[in-house]
Amino acid sequence: MINFFGWKKRFGMLLREGLDIWPDFIELCERRNLLTHTGGVVSDQYLQNCADYGRNSVFKVGEKLNVDLDYLVKSIGIITEIGCKLIHTMWRKFAPDQRSDADSHLNGFGMDLIAAKEFDTAIKILEFGVNQKQHSSDLCRRMMVVNLANALKLGGNLDRCNRVLSKHDWSATSYQFQICVAAVRDNFEEVCRFLKMGEDVTGITPSNFRDWPVFLEARKQQMVQEAFETVFGEELFRSEAEPSKD
């Protein structure tokens, strides 16, 4: 297993601090050791190391572990979360002048996870981003807030989505933010109203509307499709051969 435990002395920080998923990461590493060295047969060391980090196992010594599809998918999420958070913790600490790039990358990664329908991992990554003590700008932080709310909604947690959005005043923000918030709240009439203001006012291009995960549900609505075509002079869902006008 990778030795993270001497990093506090070397880098002046405890990298696993605040990582609620750490016990699951320990179990994953210990299961990897079993699969490599014992063919998956549970040992005392596996049980003890898991228990030391709060991951009590239901298995007994001598039982055999395997890796099914559900465990594999969960493991990919664990590694993704751990890796992203550790990279960004180090990046922000040792290159504070690159905080704008770090914030942008973190928000973009969250959007990519939403587009891939990895909502649980997206929520964890975007919560991590929103809860940073310092951001390069309020603009970037609000972008992460909107994307976090969208991940919560798409992941089935509408109450938390609304709570996240309600913590902020969006009335004084740009129209680009306001149309995104309206889309997350499934206020499709408002989405149409903002669309009809035009690209020069909202800053939303045809590609933005087609590609941004925040508009995923809005794109399915007939009224929104019609408003899009009226404003941009092209169908929302165009053929592959048809070029975009933006």
Side-chain angles (χ1 to χ4, degrees):
M1 185 170 67
I2 300 172
N3 181 13
F4 290 109
F5 307 105
W7 285 31
K8 182 177 181 180
K9 181 178 180 180
R10 181 177 299 180
F11 298 113
M13 58 196 303
L14 186 62
L15 293 184
R16 67 180 186 274
E17 185 175 359
L19 286 174
D20 296 336
I21 204 171
W22 191 261
D24 292 329
F25 177 68
I26 294 294
E27 191 283 328
L28 185 158
C29 293
E30 292 297 330
R31 185 173 298 213
R32 172 266 172 198
N33 291 341
L34 289 183
L35 294 169
T36 301
H37 301 295
T38 72
V41 177
V42 174
S43 65
D44 283 321
Q45 182 179 7
Y46 166 86
L47 295 175
Q48 186 60 57
N49 287 346
C50 288
D52 286 345
Y53 289 92
R55 187 63 155 74
N56 294 320
S57 177
V58 298
F59 300 106
K60 297 180 181 179
V61 173
E63 293 184 333
K64 190 171 183 178
L65 305 182
N66 57 18
V67 176
D68 59 19
L69 182 59
D70 288 341
Y71 185 88
L72 177 61
V73 171
K74 181 180 178 182
S75 297
I76 292 171
I78 291 170
I79 295 298
T80 300
E81 180 182 349
I82 289 281
C84 180
K85 288 182 176 180
L86 293 182
I87 287 168
H88 275 273
T89 297
M90 299 291 286
W91 189 358
R92 300 175 82 86
K93 178 176 176 65
F94 294 106
D97 58 315
Q98 297 178 20
R99 187 162 292 142
S100 178
D101 290 339
D103 283 345
S104 179
H105 182 276
L106 198 57
N107 183 58
F109 186 46
M111 290 176 66
D112 289 342
L113 288 168
I114 296 172
K117 299 183 179 180
E118 299 291 341
F119 303 128
D120 289 343
T121 305
I123 289 166
K124 292 174 182 177
I125 295 303
L126 289 164
E127 281 181 330
F128 171 78
V130 169
N131 292 330
Q132 291 297 311
K133 293 180 180 178
Q134 292 183 320
H135 297 85
S136 56
S137 67
D138 182 62
L139 174 69
C140 195
R141 183 179 184 278
R142 283 180 180 265
M143 290 169 63
M144 286 189 268
V145 169
V146 171
N147 286 316
L148 171 58
N150 191 42
L152 287 165
K153 182 190 77 170
L154 296 175
N157 200 328
L158 190 57
D159 287 342
R160 277 192 66 197
C161 165
N162 290 328
R163 288 200 300 271
V164 165
L165 290 177
S166 296
K167 289 179 181 178
H168 302 270
D169 179 11
W170 302 99
S171 62
T173 60
S174 68
Y175 288 127
Q176 189 173 92
F177 269 116
Q178 292 186 49
I179 190 175
C180 289
V181 171
V184 174
R185 286 176 167 158
D186 288 344
N187 190 340
F188 303 123
E189 290 185 357
E190 276 291 276
V191 171
C192 291
R193 184 175 72 85
F194 285 120
L195 267 181
K196 290 174 182 177
M197 292 180 179
E199 179 181 339
D200 291 341
V201 176
T202 64
I204 298 294
T205 69
S207 290
N208 294 154
F209 202 84
R210 288 188 176 104
D211 298 338
W212 287 1
V214 75
F215 297 121
L216 180 63
E217 295 301 315
R219 289 193 289 265
K220 300 175 184 178
Q221 307 303 312
Q222 183 67 32
M223 68 169 69
V224 174
Q225 295 171 18
E226 291 173 357
F228 181 96
E229 185 171 357
T230 298
V231 172
F232 296 115
E234 55 186 276
E235 294 183 358
L236 177 56
F237 300 106
R238 64 181 190 273
S239 66
E240 291 294 328
E242 183 182 348
S244 176
K245 295 181 180 179
D246 56 321

